[in-house]
Amino acid sequence: MESRKTKDLLFEQVARVGKAVASPKRLELLELLSQGEKTVEVLATEVSIDIKLASAHLKVLREARLVEARREGRFIAYRLSGDDIISLWLNLRSVAEKHLVELRVALDEIFSAPERLTAESRASLLEKARQGEVIVIDVRPEVEYRVGHLPFSRSLPLAEIERRLAELPPGKEVVAYCRGPFCLLSDEAVKLLCERGFRARKISDGVAEWAAEGLPVEVLAEA
Amino acid sequence: MESRKTKDLLFEQVARVGKAVASPKRLELLELLSQGEKTVEVLATEVSIDIKLASAHLKVLREARLVEARREGRFIAYRLSGDDIISLWLNLRSVAEKHLVELRVALDEIFSAPERLTAESRASLLEKARQGEVIVIDVRPEVEYRVGHLPFSRSLPLAEIERRLAELPPGKEVVAYCRGPFCLLSDEAVKLLCERGFRARKISDGVAEWAAEGLPVEVLAEA
DNA sequence: CCATCATTCTAATAATCTTTAGATTGTCAG
DNA sequence: CTGACAATCTAAAGATTATTAGAATGATGG
């Protein structure tokens, strides 16, 4: 059967993509990269693995063409090779969330108030943010805010919240978001804000989840 | 870092799904299962692997909750555990088709006339089929036709075409489809029909691709 | 109950992937 | 040109996965 062999080639190619997303660390890298271009050093630090190992995993992603590398001075910056890679990550995650009980249990254990948004609650949040009824804060590092953020949100990275508490009008409800449902940043931000007497909650959406619902995303122009 | 460890749990769960789709054979099984429920024996035969090996691969898919098993007399029938699994397969394949040159080359080598449909050509095909201007034939095994098929199509499995040539009105254009762009059945059907003097072409869509465009699919009620 | 058939389970080997450490490449600043 | 640094390459150990063959399970039909 000659045709069987050549047909297997097709599935092998798709399996290259499958193999690339078969490792938790590579998935974490993809999630980070969906927040924008990053250097190997930054990626390794965020995932808390050795740079050599990060480089090896990035090589696998690069060979499956899920990411692209670009030299930027002494650094090498990686980015997703297309928006369809973000969709693939969201798709994989949603299949896992739907079918794996273990994942739902783990999510419940890790996160305090896992508020999942519906189309309505997204629209109403957007409206309230527009009218200034709530303050939407983006607690990711500021670079990621610049690449894209929710409309009417302001950047207030977790690392700077304590120092910049005065920027938040007291009494007003604060809504924090970060990289998405697997990211702890907004969770810690809410804990911190509540301890300081703010009325704060978090939403599970990140920019990718928001955009996947067809909602608008704001971008700051490059310098 | 206690929180890091628990966070890794999340990505590990998604990676379970990734690992399940990291093997060409399992992807082939998923593609077959997206045409409907099938026994281990049928699956093993179609993928041309040993039943024991098929069973092992199905176990992996089952443990990742991508498929479910059901005992049916002496047989065990497997099915996808949801329509989102079909979407995942389509998503993986489309990422591979977009980013891996090797896949596009392989597709060109294997298939004679890879006619890819657009929204317009799908609509016009549907209209022509409705008016009887073209004969749309489903060349998959008849069971798969019963589970779901394109509107105004008739079942004419590849294995029976030669014997049932009389059913096709001569002169009329025949359009063949099968399981999708990775399936050889329609290709062979077209070759056979052209040799017998018919005006035949194939489309790359299968039922899943058709449905993913939001187009209607017909189902025959169970006996 | 026995024999049969479809499938799974178990155990063993081969193949592949992950991780680590050391050597190497390529860029920039002096 | 040299030193410092980011990142990759290479090689080897450890961990997982794929594949195969033989034994075990579970339903069926006599």
Side-chain angles (χ1 to χ4, degrees), chain A residues 17 21 27 29-37 65-67 79-95 140 147-148 179-181 206-213 217, chain B residues 14 88 91-92 94-95 98-99:
Chain A
V17 176
V21 296
L27 289 174
L29 290 170
L30 286 179
E31 198 216 25
L32 281 169
L33 288 172
S34 66
Q35 317 294 321
E37 199 180 51
R65 304 287 155 77
L66 302 192
V67 306
R79 61 166 173 272
L80 297 186
S81 53
D83 283 350
D84 56 332
I85 312 300
I86 300 186
S87 310
L88 178 59
W89 155 241
L90 294 178
N91 197 170
L92 278 164
R93 198 185 63 199
S94 103
V95 165
R140 299 173 298 164
V147 171
R179 291 170 182 145
V207 175
E209 290 77 11
W210 185 265
E213 296 293 323
V217 165
Chain B
V14 184
L88 177 59
N91 198 170
L92 278 164
S94 102
V95 165
K98 181 163 174 202
H99 298 283

Side-chain angles (χ1 to χ4, degrees), chain B residues 137-143 146 155-168 189 192-193:
Chain B
I137 61 172
D138 182 323
V139 300
R140 298 173 299 163
E142 213 215 332
V143 239
R146 268 186 256 123
S155 172
L156 192 54
L158 179 61
E160 297 176 23
I161 289 189
E162 293 214 70
R163 176 156 25 106
R164 292 169 55 184
L165 277 176
E167 294 178 24
L168 295 173
L192 200 152
L193 287 171

Side-chain angles (χ1 to χ4, degrees), chain A residues 90-108:
Chain A
L90 294 178
N91 197 170
L92 278 164
R93 198 185 63 199
S94 103
V95 165
E97 281 185 83
K98 180 162 174 202
H99 298 283
L100 299 176
V101 197
E102 295 88 336
L103 180 52
R104 284 201 293 273
V105 170
L107 277 171
D108 287 351

Side-chain angles (χ1 to χ4, degrees), chain B residues 39-41 55 74-75 78:
Chain B
T39 67
V40 181
E41 194 179 35
S55 174
R74 263 182 313 176
F75 299 83
Y78 278 83

Side-chain angles (χ1 to χ4, degrees), chain B residues 45 94 188:
Chain B
T45 309
S94 102
E188 291 180 27

Side-chain angles (χ1 to χ4, degrees), chain A residues 40-56:
Chain A
V40 181
E41 194 179 36
V42 169
L43 289 166
T45 309
E46 290 274 5
V47 185
S48 41
I49 55 177
D50 188 78
I51 291 195
K52 289 168 183 174
L53 182 52
S55 174

Side-chain angles (χ1 to χ4, degrees), chain B residues 161-221:
Chain B
I161 289 189
E162 293 214 70
R163 176 156 25 106
R164 292 169 55 184
L165 277 176
E167 294 178 24
L168 295 173
K172 228 168 224 172
E173 184 179 19
V174 177
V175 173
Y177 77 89
C178 51
R179 291 170 182 146
F182 283 14
C183 179
L184 296 150
L185 295 174
S186 62
D187 218 62
E188 291 180 27
V190 167
K191 204 194 302 172
L192 200 152
L193 287 171
C194 286
E195 282 167 8
R196 302 308 171 92
F198 287 88
R199 211 150 38 93
R201 64 191 174 97
K202 65 158 196 172
I203 57 176
S204 63
D205 274 14
V207 176
E209 290 77 11
W210 185 264
E213 297 293 322
L215 292 161
V217 165
E218 271 175 19
V219 175
L220 290 187

